[in-house]
Amino acid sequence: MNVQELYDRGEFDKVIKLLQKDATNQHLPMLAFAYQKTKQWEEAMAIWTSLIALYPDAAEYYVERGVCKFNLRFKHAIQDFDQAIAMESDNAYYYS
């Protein structure tokens, strides 16, 4: 079974185990989402931060890092949400 199938089946611990060993830039978002699904906010936030460094124009990465910060009760989570909104003001999800 491939990683996408495991993710789609909700087997996030298995996804993490597989991708921790050999995650390419292409698979990093899936790994970060798997961490989020298992409430491993700090690990997910570190990946989103790495992805933002690689792809600074990807508004969705700022939002997801903001979600991690929010769940960790960081007061500055709003800065990531504001950045994403500034980049893509027509995306309603970013306002939620």
XYZ file of all heavy atoms in Angstrom:
800
model
N 0.856 -1.186 0.000
C 0.000 0.000 0.000
C 0.895 1.240 0.000
O 1.850 1.317 0.758
C -0.889 -0.041 1.246
C -1.915 1.041 1.283
S -3.091 0.893 2.642
C -3.798 -0.704 2.304
N 0.548 2.200 -0.842
C 1.386 3.393 -0.894
C 0.955 4.419 0.162
O -0.078 4.286 0.808
C 1.407 3.985 -2.309
C 0.105 4.639 -2.718
O -0.615 5.209 -1.914
N -0.199 4.570 -3.997
N 1.771 5.441 0.289
C 1.566 6.451 1.331
C 0.241 7.179 1.155
O -0.466 7.429 2.129
C 2.748 7.439 1.353
C 2.520 8.536 2.362
C 4.038 6.725 1.641
N -0.115 7.514 -0.071
C -1.379 8.219 -0.307
C -2.571 7.377 0.126
O -3.511 7.883 0.737
C -1.513 8.610 -1.786
C -2.756 9.436 -2.084
C -2.753 10.781 -1.394
O -1.800 11.541 -1.537
N -3.812 11.104 -0.662
N -2.530 6.098 -0.145
C -3.619 5.205 0.267
C -3.716 5.136 1.788
O -4.815 5.155 2.340
C -3.414 3.803 -0.315
C -3.622 3.729 -1.807
C -3.230 2.385 -2.400
O -2.665 1.539 -1.681
O -3.490 2.181 -3.595
N -2.576 5.063 2.448
C -2.578 5.057 3.920
C -3.175 6.350 4.455
O -3.971 6.339 5.400
C -1.164 4.858 4.456
C -0.548 3.480 4.266
C 0.941 3.502 4.621
C -1.278 2.439 5.107
N -2.783 7.467 3.865
C -3.309 8.763 4.292
C -4.822 8.814 4.081
O -5.561 9.226 4.976
C -2.616 9.897 3.526
C -3.012 11.260 4.026
C -2.311 11.868 5.051
C -4.107 11.940 3.487
C -2.677 13.114 5.529
C -4.480 13.178 3.949
C -3.764 13.763 4.976
O -4.140 14.990 5.455
N -5.259 8.386 2.914
C -6.689 8.401 2.603
C -7.489 7.503 3.536
O -8.665 7.786 3.808
C -6.936 7.992 1.153
C -6.400 9.004 0.149
O -6.144 10.170 0.545
O -6.219 8.633 -1.020
N -6.886 6.460 4.035
C -7.552 5.549 4.969
C -7.474 6.039 6.416
O -8.019 5.411 7.315
C -6.926 4.154 4.876
C -7.234 3.463 3.554
C -6.567 2.137 3.445
N -6.960 1.283 4.566
C -6.569 0.037 4.711
N -5.771 -0.510 3.810
N -6.965 -0.683 5.743
N -6.776 7.146 6.631
C -6.676 7.709 7.975
C -5.642 7.028 8.855
O -5.664 7.181 10.068
N -4.717 6.337 8.239
C -3.661 5.650 8.995
C -2.450 6.585 9.104
O -1.377 6.323 8.564
C -3.324 4.323 8.326
C -4.517 3.378 8.325
C -4.199 2.007 7.767
O -3.088 1.494 8.006
O -5.082 1.449 7.087
N -2.658 7.653 9.849
C -1.678 8.727 9.911
C -0.386 8.319 10.612
O 0.693 8.781 10.232
C -2.292 9.960 10.573
C -3.536 10.432 9.878
C -4.762 10.407 10.512
C -3.486 10.859 8.563
C -5.909 10.827 9.863
C -4.626 11.279 7.896
C -5.841 11.260 8.548
N -0.454 7.459 11.604
C 0.771 6.999 12.272
C 1.666 6.239 11.300
O 2.890 6.375 11.332
C 0.435 6.128 13.488
C -0.152 6.944 14.634
O 0.242 8.127 14.784
O -0.984 6.406 15.378
N 1.068 5.450 10.426
C 1.849 4.719 9.424
C 2.445 5.677 8.395
O 3.575 5.497 7.949
C 0.990 3.665 8.736
C 0.631 2.505 9.640
C -0.208 1.475 8.909
C -0.594 0.345 9.862
N -1.465 -0.643 9.195
N 1.675 6.681 8.021
C 2.171 7.693 7.088
C 3.394 8.379 7.688
O 4.425 8.542 7.025
C 1.077 8.724 6.753
C 1.647 9.907 5.982
C -0.056 8.070 5.975
N 3.293 8.764 8.943
C 4.402 9.438 9.618
C 5.622 8.530 9.646
O 6.735 8.958 9.323
C 3.988 9.869 11.042
C 2.966 11.008 10.962
C 5.208 10.282 11.857
C 2.279 11.311 12.275
N 5.419 7.301 10.013
C 6.535 6.361 10.106
C 7.246 6.202 8.764
O 8.479 6.204 8.701
C 6.034 5.009 10.606
C 7.129 4.042 10.942
C 6.570 2.790 11.593
C 7.712 1.872 11.995
N 7.232 0.699 12.708
N 6.483 6.095 7.689
C 7.077 5.945 6.362
C 7.778 7.212 5.890
O 8.882 7.164 5.352
C 6.017 5.540 5.348
C 5.508 4.111 5.414
C 4.320 3.926 4.476
C 6.621 3.137 5.057
N 7.124 8.356 6.096
C 7.665 9.601 5.553
C 8.773 10.201 6.404
O 9.577 10.983 5.898
C 6.551 10.618 5.331
C 5.569 10.275 4.211
C 4.523 11.365 4.079
C 6.284 10.045 2.893
N 8.844 9.863 7.672
C 9.933 10.374 8.507
C 11.278 9.901 7.964
O 12.270 10.614 8.070
C 9.789 9.886 9.951
C 8.857 10.682 10.786
C 8.730 10.106 12.184
O 8.818 8.913 12.408
N 8.515 10.986 13.134
N 11.291 8.737 7.394
C 12.526 8.155 6.884
C 12.944 8.764 5.550
O 14.129 8.935 5.286
C 12.364 6.643 6.692
C 12.077 5.888 7.950
C 11.832 4.428 7.631
C 11.339 3.688 8.856
N 10.958 2.318 8.533
N 11.964 9.053 4.700
C 12.302 9.388 3.325
C 11.321 10.381 2.705
O 10.772 10.132 1.644
C 12.322 8.095 2.494
C 12.948 8.296 1.130
O 13.786 9.200 0.987
O 12.591 7.549 0.203
N 11.103 11.490 3.356
C 10.157 12.475 2.827
C 10.868 13.410 1.849
O 11.860 14.037 2.184
C 9.532 13.269 3.960
N 10.336 13.480 0.646
C 10.829 14.445 -0.328
C 10.029 15.735 -0.128
O 9.016 15.752 0.588
C 10.603 13.924 -1.756
O 9.191 13.784 -1.973
C 11.297 12.582 -1.975
N 10.457 16.796 -0.781
C 9.707 18.059 -0.685
C 8.263 17.855 -1.111
O 7.357 18.477 -0.575
C 10.360 19.142 -1.533
C 11.625 19.674 -0.910
O 11.946 19.386 0.232
N 12.361 20.453 -1.671
N 8.047 16.964 -2.059
C 6.699 16.675 -2.541
C 5.827 16.059 -1.446
O 4.631 16.311 -1.388
C 6.793 15.720 -3.731
C 5.466 15.233 -4.244
C 5.646 14.160 -5.317
O 6.749 13.857 -5.752
N 4.535 13.583 -5.725
N 6.418 15.263 -0.575
C 5.661 14.578 0.466
C 5.616 15.337 1.795
O 4.898 14.926 2.705
C 6.233 13.178 0.712
C 5.946 12.227 -0.402
N 6.904 11.815 -1.286
C 4.790 11.634 -0.773
C 6.366 10.996 -2.152
N 5.076 10.869 -1.878
N 6.369 16.407 1.918
C 6.386 17.142 3.184
C 5.013 17.659 3.606
O 4.663 17.559 4.785
C 7.409 18.274 3.139
C 8.869 17.839 3.264
C 9.795 19.048 3.111
C 9.123 17.130 4.576
N 4.193 18.204 2.693
C 2.867 18.636 3.138
C 2.033 17.480 3.707
O 1.352 17.654 4.716
C 2.233 19.215 1.874
C 3.392 19.664 1.057
C 4.460 18.623 1.306
N 2.110 16.313 3.088
C 1.364 15.165 3.598
C 1.861 14.770 4.991
O 1.066 14.463 5.876
C 1.491 13.966 2.653
C 0.664 12.771 3.093
S 0.884 11.309 2.068
C 0.273 11.891 0.499
N 3.172 14.817 5.186
C 3.733 14.510 6.499
C 3.258 15.530 7.529
O 2.844 15.164 8.638
C 5.254 14.470 6.431
C 5.997 14.199 7.741
C 5.556 12.882 8.371
C 7.503 14.214 7.506
N 3.271 16.796 7.166
C 2.817 17.838 8.087
C 1.342 17.662 8.437
O 0.957 17.773 9.610
C 3.060 19.224 7.478
N 0.518 17.359 7.438
C -0.901 17.121 7.715
C -1.095 15.890 8.596
O -1.960 15.882 9.477
C -1.700 16.977 6.416
C -2.055 18.268 5.764
C -1.672 18.523 4.449
C -2.785 19.245 6.433
C -2.010 19.707 3.830
C -3.125 20.441 5.821
C -2.734 20.677 4.514
N -0.300 14.856 8.381
C -0.398 13.657 9.223
C -0.040 13.995 10.666
O -0.700 13.533 11.607
C 0.504 12.541 8.689
N 0.981 14.819 10.843
C 1.314 15.278 12.205
C 0.142 16.054 12.803
O -0.198 15.881 13.972
C 2.558 16.155 12.192
C 3.866 15.428 12.190
C 4.873 15.761 11.296
C 4.129 14.408 13.102
C 6.101 15.115 11.295
C 5.349 13.751 13.112
C 6.323 14.110 12.211
O 7.532 13.457 12.228
N -0.477 16.914 12.012
C -1.606 17.681 12.515
C -2.771 16.771 12.886
O -3.410 16.974 13.922
C -2.053 18.720 11.479
C -1.128 19.913 11.394
C -1.551 20.912 10.347
O -0.858 21.090 9.372
N -2.677 21.566 10.546
N -3.034 15.778 12.072
C -4.137 14.850 12.349
C -3.907 14.082 13.649
O -4.868 13.669 14.300
C -4.320 13.863 11.199
C -4.746 14.507 9.902
C -6.175 14.947 9.958
C -6.647 15.410 8.582
N -8.022 15.837 8.587
N -2.645 13.911 14.027
C -2.315 13.201 15.274
C -1.949 14.181 16.393
O -1.404 13.786 17.409
C -1.177 12.196 15.042
O -0.026 12.884 14.537
C -1.599 11.097 14.073
N -2.258 15.442 16.159
C -2.066 16.512 17.146
C -0.606 16.691 17.582
O -0.314 17.094 18.698
C -2.972 16.313 18.359
C -4.442 16.312 17.991
C -5.327 16.307 19.203
C -6.796 16.214 18.897
N -7.328 16.845 17.740
N 0.295 16.433 16.662
C 1.722 16.670 16.893
C 2.070 18.025 16.267
O 2.696 18.120 15.227
C 2.555 15.532 16.291
C 2.264 14.189 16.943
C 3.081 13.076 16.357
O 4.311 13.108 16.420
N 2.399 12.091 15.768
N 1.588 19.060 16.947
C 1.610 20.417 16.404
C 3.011 20.953 16.166
O 3.265 21.604 15.159
C 0.819 21.357 17.311
C -0.574 20.890 17.539
C -1.107 20.438 18.720
C -1.621 20.781 16.573
N -2.419 20.065 18.535
C -2.764 20.264 17.230
C -1.711 21.063 15.209
C -3.969 20.040 16.579
C -2.910 20.841 14.563
C -4.019 20.336 15.245
N 3.933 20.712 17.092
C 5.285 21.260 16.942
C 6.002 20.648 15.745
O 6.693 21.352 15.005
C 6.081 21.059 18.222
C 5.583 21.934 19.354
C 6.358 21.747 20.644
O 7.354 21.005 20.667
O 5.957 22.373 21.640
N 5.835 19.340 15.550
C 6.461 18.681 14.407
C 5.885 19.215 13.095
O 6.614 19.488 12.146
C 6.271 17.164 14.486
C 7.046 16.500 15.602
C 6.342 16.546 16.965
O 5.294 17.221 17.086
O 6.843 15.915 17.900
N 4.567 19.368 13.059
C 3.918 19.912 11.861
C 4.376 21.340 11.603
O 4.689 21.701 10.462
C 2.403 19.850 12.008
N 4.431 22.144 12.649
C 4.839 23.541 12.505
C 6.258 23.638 11.941
O 6.531 24.487 11.082
C 4.751 24.268 13.845
C 5.047 25.747 13.754
S 4.774 26.627 15.304
C 5.968 25.828 16.361
N 7.148 22.765 12.373
C 8.520 22.781 11.859
C 8.549 22.491 10.360
O 9.318 23.119 9.610
C 9.375 21.769 12.620
N 7.722 21.572 9.919
C 7.672 21.265 8.487
C 7.095 22.434 7.704
O 7.625 22.819 6.661
C 6.876 19.977 8.228
C 7.632 18.786 8.814
C 6.631 19.786 6.731
C 6.860 17.492 8.795
N 6.002 23.023 8.200
C 5.420 24.181 7.497
C 6.436 25.315 7.408
O 6.537 25.989 6.385
C 4.132 24.649 8.171
C 3.016 23.659 8.092
C 2.314 23.134 9.132
C 2.451 23.064 6.906
N 1.364 22.244 8.674
C 1.427 22.185 7.302
C 2.727 23.180 5.550
C 0.679 21.441 6.399
C 1.975 22.437 4.646
C 0.967 21.579 5.064
N 7.207 25.523 8.464
C 8.231 26.569 8.453
C 9.278 26.277 7.385
O 9.696 27.181 6.651
C 8.874 26.702 9.844
O 7.847 27.086 10.783
C 9.974 27.746 9.856
N 9.688 25.024 7.278
C 10.648 24.633 6.233
C 10.071 24.851 4.845
O 10.767 25.340 3.942
C 11.032 23.161 6.386
O 11.690 22.935 7.597
N 8.807 24.502 4.677
C 8.163 24.686 3.379
C 8.011 26.158 3.025
O 8.159 26.545 1.865
C 6.812 23.974 3.344
C 6.909 22.454 3.215
C 5.563 21.803 3.535
C 7.396 22.066 1.833
N 7.732 26.987 4.018
C 7.629 28.433 3.780
C 8.979 28.982 3.321
O 9.032 29.840 2.435
C 7.104 29.164 5.039
C 5.617 28.847 5.241
C 7.351 30.668 4.953
C 5.060 29.261 6.583
N 10.058 28.474 3.890
C 11.389 28.915 3.462
C 11.646 28.532 2.009
O 12.270 29.293 1.257
C 12.457 28.312 4.371
N 11.151 27.364 1.599
C 11.335 26.899 0.226
C 10.375 27.575 -0.753
O 10.728 27.852 -1.901
C 11.133 25.381 0.145
C 12.171 24.506 0.833
C 11.698 23.060 0.873
C 13.509 24.618 0.108
N 9.146 27.801 -0.294
C 8.078 28.335 -1.147
C 7.379 29.503 -0.439
O 6.257 29.363 0.042
C 7.058 27.239 -1.469
C 7.677 25.971 -1.989
C 7.804 24.854 -1.158
C 8.142 25.876 -3.299
C 8.389 23.673 -1.624
C 8.714 24.701 -3.770
C 8.838 23.608 -2.931
O 9.410 22.455 -3.396
N 8.027 30.652 -0.362
C 7.471 31.772 0.411
C 6.173 32.354 -0.150
O 5.500 33.117 0.537
C 8.593 32.809 0.391
C 9.433 32.450 -0.780
C 9.310 30.971 -0.960
N 5.812 31.987 -1.373
C 4.581 32.500 -1.971
C 3.397 31.561 -1.795
O 2.323 31.811 -2.353
C 4.793 32.780 -3.460
C 5.805 33.885 -3.697
O 5.922 34.776 -2.834
O 6.491 33.858 -4.736
N 3.553 30.493 -1.033
C 2.482 29.505 -0.836
C 1.656 29.889 0.390
O 1.997 29.546 1.525
C 3.063 28.109 -0.690
N 0.573 30.598 0.158
C -0.272 31.092 1.245
C -0.793 29.966 2.129
O -0.904 30.119 3.348
C -1.433 31.893 0.675
N -1.111 28.808 1.535
C -1.672 27.704 2.323
C -0.694 27.209 3.391
O -1.121 26.723 4.437
C -2.120 26.553 1.422
C -1.015 25.859 0.664
C -0.711 26.457 -0.710
O -1.091 27.610 -0.988
O -0.072 25.750 -1.513
N 0.606 27.368 3.153
C 1.579 26.937 4.156
C 1.539 27.860 5.380
O 1.699 27.413 6.512
C 2.984 26.883 3.568
C 3.167 25.851 2.473
C 4.233 25.920 1.604
C 2.257 24.810 2.286
C 4.413 24.977 0.591
C 2.423 23.871 1.283
C 3.508 23.958 0.445
O 3.680 23.018 -0.544
N 1.323 29.142 5.142
C 1.202 30.078 6.264
C -0.044 29.753 7.097
O 0.001 29.793 8.324
C 1.128 31.523 5.762
C 2.434 32.063 5.261
C 2.759 31.997 3.909
C 3.350 32.631 6.132
C 3.959 32.490 3.436
C 4.564 33.128 5.673
C 4.861 33.051 4.325
O 6.053 33.536 3.863
N -1.137 29.441 6.425
C -2.368 29.120 7.146
C -2.170 27.884 8.017
O -2.545 27.870 9.190
C -3.542 28.898 6.171
C -4.729 28.257 6.864
C -3.957 30.217 5.575
N -1.576 26.857 7.449
C -1.402 25.617 8.210
C -0.431 25.800 9.365
O -0.624 25.246 10.442
C -0.972 24.473 7.293
C -2.022 24.095 6.274
C -3.390 23.759 6.861
O -3.485 23.289 8.008
O -4.387 23.970 6.145
N 0.610 26.614 9.160
C 1.500 26.910 10.286
C 0.737 27.697 11.345
O 0.897 27.467 12.550
C 2.734 27.678 9.822
C 3.743 27.860 10.969
C 5.021 28.482 10.519
N 4.832 29.890 10.145
C 5.826 30.688 9.781
N 7.070 30.230 9.700
N 5.583 31.944 9.465
N -0.128 28.595 10.916
C -0.959 29.334 11.854
C -1.870 28.421 12.650
O -2.082 28.627 13.846
N -2.409 27.392 12.004
C -3.253 26.416 12.708
C -2.443 25.730 13.802
O -2.927 25.550 14.925
C -3.831 25.376 11.714
C -4.459 24.197 12.448
C -4.835 26.033 10.781
N -1.221 25.359 13.483
C -0.364 24.727 14.496
C -0.102 25.681 15.661
O -0.229 25.298 16.830
C 0.963 24.299 13.878
S 0.818 23.007 12.634
N 0.255 26.912 15.331
C 0.520 27.902 16.375
C -0.717 28.145 17.230
O -0.622 28.267 18.456
C 0.991 29.220 15.756
C 2.382 29.150 15.167
C 2.741 30.473 14.526
C 4.136 30.466 13.946
N 4.487 31.773 13.348
N -1.872 28.209 16.597
C -3.125 28.409 17.326
C -3.353 27.271 18.319
O -3.704 27.493 19.476
C -4.289 28.506 16.347
C -5.626 28.623 17.012
C -6.068 29.847 17.492
C -6.439 27.510 17.171
C -7.307 29.961 18.122
C -7.671 27.611 17.787
C -8.111 28.839 18.270
N -3.138 26.043 17.875
C -3.338 24.894 18.746
C -2.295 24.803 19.855
O -2.551 24.197 20.890
C -3.370 23.601 17.932
C -4.709 23.416 17.279
O -5.673 23.053 17.920
N -4.780 23.695 15.986
N -1.154 25.422 19.644
C -0.128 25.494 20.681
C -0.319 26.734 21.560
O 0.479 26.989 22.445
C 1.261 25.510 20.042
C 1.693 24.197 19.415
C 2.929 24.399 18.534
C 1.968 23.155 20.488
N -1.376 27.496 21.277
C -1.738 28.703 22.033
C -0.732 29.835 21.875
O -0.525 30.631 22.786
C -1.934 28.389 23.521
C -2.902 27.285 23.825
C -4.326 27.776 23.667
N -5.283 26.825 24.214
C -6.142 26.144 23.485
N -6.178 26.306 22.197
N -7.003 25.317 24.039
N -0.085 29.894 20.722
C 0.839 30.989 20.442
C 0.026 32.204 20.024
O -0.789 32.131 19.105
C 1.809 30.637 19.322
C 2.834 29.579 19.662
C 3.701 29.135 18.692
C 2.934 29.025 20.921
C 4.653 28.166 18.972
C 3.868 28.057 21.217
C 4.732 27.625 20.231
N 0.261 33.322 20.685
C -0.492 34.535 20.390
C -0.205 35.072 18.990
O -1.046 35.729 18.403
C -0.185 35.616 21.422
C -0.724 35.295 22.791
C -0.412 36.375 23.792
C -0.957 35.982 25.156
N -0.684 36.984 26.165
N 0.959 34.772 18.464
C 1.323 35.306 17.153
C 0.830 34.438 15.984
O 1.223 34.672 14.846
C 2.833 35.550 17.068
C 3.676 34.337 17.246
N 3.940 33.801 18.484
C 4.289 33.541 16.350
C 4.693 32.728 18.337
N 4.919 32.542 17.047
N -0.051 33.497 16.237
C -0.632 32.695 15.151
C -1.338 33.588 14.147
O -1.307 33.329 12.938
C -1.598 31.661 15.724
N -1.933 34.645 14.618
C -2.685 35.549 13.748
C -1.807 36.140 12.642
O -2.292 36.440 11.554
C -3.387 36.666 14.574
C -4.408 37.418 13.739
C -2.381 37.609 15.175
C -5.639 36.626 13.434
N -0.526 36.284 12.905
C 0.375 36.835 11.892
C 0.437 35.940 10.654
O 0.487 36.435 9.529
C 1.772 37.043 12.472
C 1.815 38.115 13.531
C 3.136 38.173 14.272
O 3.943 37.254 14.222
N 3.351 39.266 14.984
N 0.434 34.631 10.867
C 0.442 33.719 9.723
C -0.878 33.784 8.961
O -0.885 33.770 7.730
C 0.719 32.276 10.168
C 2.197 32.031 10.449
O 3.042 32.782 9.928
O 2.499 31.088 11.185
N -1.982 33.871 9.685
C -3.283 33.996 9.016
C -3.352 35.305 8.217
O -3.821 35.321 7.081
C -4.429 33.921 10.023
C -4.494 32.622 10.770
C -4.580 32.615 12.145
C -4.475 31.407 10.111
C -4.653 31.427 12.846
C -4.547 30.203 10.793
C -4.636 30.208 12.177
N -2.872 36.378 8.827
C -2.870 37.672 8.136
C -2.006 37.629 6.877
O -2.375 38.197 5.854
C -2.378 38.778 9.070
C -3.382 39.151 10.150
O -4.573 38.777 10.020
O -2.969 39.814 11.123
N -0.867 36.940 6.951
C 0.016 36.833 5.783
C -0.688 36.081 4.654
O -0.644 36.499 3.499
C 1.311 36.118 6.164
C 2.268 35.894 5.009
C 2.804 37.183 4.422
O 2.944 38.187 5.110
N 3.090 37.178 3.135
N -1.345 34.992 4.989
C -2.057 34.217 3.969
C -3.183 35.034 3.342
O -3.366 35.011 2.118
C -2.610 32.935 4.583
N -3.910 35.776 4.168
C -5.002 36.616 3.657
C -4.455 37.708 2.747
O -5.034 38.010 1.706
C -5.828 37.196 4.822
C -6.620 36.070 5.493
C -6.731 38.317 4.348
C -7.236 36.452 6.821
N -3.328 38.284 3.121
C -2.717 39.317 2.273
C -2.317 38.747 0.913
O -2.392 39.433 -0.106
C -1.501 39.916 2.976
N -1.939 37.479 0.897
C -1.504 36.836 -0.343
C -2.683 36.384 -1.201
O -2.615 36.449 -2.424
C -0.607 35.642 -0.019
C 0.696 36.041 0.657
S 1.581 34.646 1.348
C 2.359 33.998 -0.124
N -3.746 35.912 -0.549
C -4.921 35.399 -1.271
C -6.187 35.820 -0.534
O -6.805 35.019 0.166
C -4.865 33.874 -1.380
C -3.757 33.346 -2.245
C -3.779 31.840 -2.371
O -4.840 31.210 -2.156
O -2.718 31.278 -2.680
N -6.567 37.051 -0.707
C -7.692 37.596 0.054
C -9.039 36.992 -0.336
O -10.015 37.141 0.394
C -7.753 39.110 -0.100
O -7.933 39.455 -1.464
N -9.108 36.287 -1.441
C -10.378 35.707 -1.878
C -10.596 34.282 -1.366
O -11.625 33.677 -1.667
C -10.481 35.745 -3.393
C -9.370 34.947 -4.083
O -8.310 34.748 -3.468
O -9.575 34.563 -5.247
N -9.691 33.767 -0.581
C -9.842 32.404 -0.046
C -10.545 32.469 1.310
O -9.947 32.861 2.317
C -8.475 31.734 0.080
C -8.584 30.252 0.377
O -9.458 29.817 1.121
N -7.699 29.478 -0.197
N -11.791 32.072 1.346
C -12.612 32.177 2.557
C -12.053 31.351 3.712
O -12.177 31.725 4.872
C -14.041 31.748 2.267
N -11.428 30.221 3.415
C -10.871 29.354 4.476
C -9.849 30.108 5.320
O -9.774 29.898 6.526
C -10.233 28.106 3.857
C -9.476 27.262 4.852
C -10.140 26.553 5.843
C -8.093 27.164 4.806
C -9.463 25.776 6.770
C -7.399 26.393 5.721
C -8.075 25.708 6.688
O -7.395 24.941 7.608
N -9.093 30.982 4.696
C -8.052 31.698 5.425
C -8.611 32.624 6.500
O -7.934 32.958 7.456
C -7.178 32.502 4.459
C -6.413 31.658 3.471
C -5.723 32.248 2.426
C -6.348 30.279 3.571
C -5.012 31.490 1.507
C -5.641 29.512 2.670
C -4.975 30.118 1.640
O -4.266 29.376 0.737
N -9.851 33.027 6.356
C -10.478 33.886 7.341
C -11.040 33.109 8.531
O -11.320 33.673 9.582
C -11.621 34.698 6.701
C -11.136 35.717 5.704
C -10.981 35.366 4.360
C -10.833 37.001 6.095
C -10.533 36.302 3.431
C -10.396 37.943 5.169
C -10.245 37.581 3.856
O -9.799 38.501 2.937
N -11.202 31.817 8.360
C -11.811 31.025 9.428
C -10.824 30.719 10.505
O -11.139 30.399 11.605
C -12.405 29.723 8.870
O -11.397 28.900 8.336
